[in-house]
Amino acid sequence: MSARILVAEDDEKQSRLIRIYLEREGNAVQVVADGRAALDRARSSKPDLIVLDVMLPLVDGLDVCRILRTESDVPILLLTARTTEEDMLLGLDLGADDYLTKPYSPRELTARVRALLRRSGKSGGAPESAVLRVGEMELDTARFEVRVAGQPVTLTAKEFSILEALAREPGRVFTRRQIIERVFGYDRDVLERTVDAHVMNLRRKLEADPARPRLLETVYGRGYRLADAVDSARP
């Protein structure tokens, strides 16, 4: 089963190359060349994943990401020529699931797309059916759904994957590097602060008081763990 992928890239040569490689993977690919068209097409066609260049005309790619994240949990892979740590973390903070800095290998792009689709359950494969429960939190890996005290919580694909890794072994402390290895799945240079940014977003969504987390705990000098006995994470 193919995935529906929207590519927003104003460089015609780059967009053509991305289309060729993604279509070789069996995906159905649409291409737009500006941020306004990206918003319109994302809303009308409901893609399974969006490859989004940061430097787009009309509407900046970061603004597109921010707007779409308020409307949808569609996985978003940012393409950026900005290589500073602050720029990368800004994209993640706005809700992007992953980023790729230019120049990049088309093979790495397709690998990251495959990983995002697989973790979002939209790759055509049948995900393992399991509901993980920790206190009042339920994480359904087949439906890509999370509930806390019966209330649904919307997560990005990366946030879901980090939460799933921790929920499979509640109480165990994971270092940032261990989380990177489990969630990102292939050899790459991922900043450990990238994990911190995702954890911060998870706490905002899951905890009653993100400044005093009771579910997703920090173990100073080690990493993070999911508390194995929590009565309630948020009202």
Side-chain angles (χ1 to χ4, degrees):
M1 183 185 299
S2 68
R4 294 167 297 132
I5 299 177
L6 173 62
V7 176
E9 168 64 76
D10 63 325
D11 185 306
E12 185 176 351
K13 181 179 179 180
Q14 287 294 315
S15 64
R16 184 166 57 248
L17 187 63
I18 294 170
R19 179 195 285 273
I20 289 171
Y21 273 82
L22 292 180
E23 287 182 343
R24 284 179 182 173
E25 297 276 308
N27 302 298
V29 181
Q30 300 181 69
V31 176
V32 295
D34 65 73
R36 187 174 300 164
L39 286 170
D40 292 342
R41 192 67 60 86
R43 289 163 173 163
S44 62
S45 64
K46 306 293 183 184
D48 296 316
L49 181 141
I50 299 175
V51 178
L52 180 63
D53 184 34
V54 168
M55 301 298 290
L56 288 174
L58 300 184
V59 181
D60 183 88
L62 292 176
D63 286 332
V64 172
C65 180
R66 175 181 54 79
I67 294 167
L68 288 178
R69 190 49 74 225
T70 66
E71 303 173 358
S72 168
D73 62 354
V74 59
I76 298 174
L77 170 61
L78 284 181
L79 304 179
T80 177
R82 303 171 180 174
T83 57
T84 68
E85 185 174 316
E86 289 73 18
D87 288 329
M88 296 173 186
L89 292 175
L90 175 59
L92 294 173
D93 194 48
L94 290 174
D97 297 278
D98 201 357
Y99 60 82
L100 192 58
T101 56
K102 298 181 179 181
Y104 54 82
S105 160
R107 292 179 60 190
E108 183 177 7
L109 183 144
T110 55
R112 296 196 187 193
V113 166
R114 282 197 305 269
L116 286 174
L117 289 171
R118 183 171 61 250
R119 294 186 181 106
S120 67
K122 297 175 181 178
S123 62
E128 178 185 355
S129 178
V131 177
L132 306 175
R133 294 181 175 86
V134 180
E136 294 191 347
M137 186 194 75
E138 293 187 356
L139 187 147
D140 190 324
T141 62
R143 295 178 178 271
F144 193 67
E145 293 177 350
V146 175
R147 293 180 180 274
V148 176
Q151 299 301 310
V153 180
T154 300
L155 303 181
T156 68
K158 276 293 186 294
E159 290 166 0
F160 188 93
S161 296
I162 291 173
L163 188 61
E164 179 183 354
L166 299 178
R168 289 196 178 278
E169 298 183 67
R172 173 183 169 179
V173 179
F174 287 84
T175 66
R176 291 167 177 82
R177 181 51 51 184
Q178 288 172 327
I179 292 173
I180 288 169
E181 290 172 355
R182 291 202 174 203
V183 170
F184 292 83
Y186 45 85
D187 188 22
R188 51 177 295 193
D189 293 327
V190 179
L191 298 169
E192 293 192 356
R193 281 187 60 191
T194 298
V195 175
D196 297 335
H198 285 305
V199 169
M200 181 176 63
N201 289 336
L202 278 167
R203 284 174 171 162
R204 284 202 294 253
K205 297 177 180 182
L206 297 173
E207 302 279 2
D209 183 357
R212 296 177 176 83
R214 300 175 57 234
L215 178 64
L216 215 171
E217 300 177 334
T218 298
V219 179
Y220 291 99
R222 291 291 298 163
Y224 297 106
R225 71 181 172 199
L226 202 65
D228 54 3
V230 179
D231 294 330
S232 179
R234 67 171 196 172

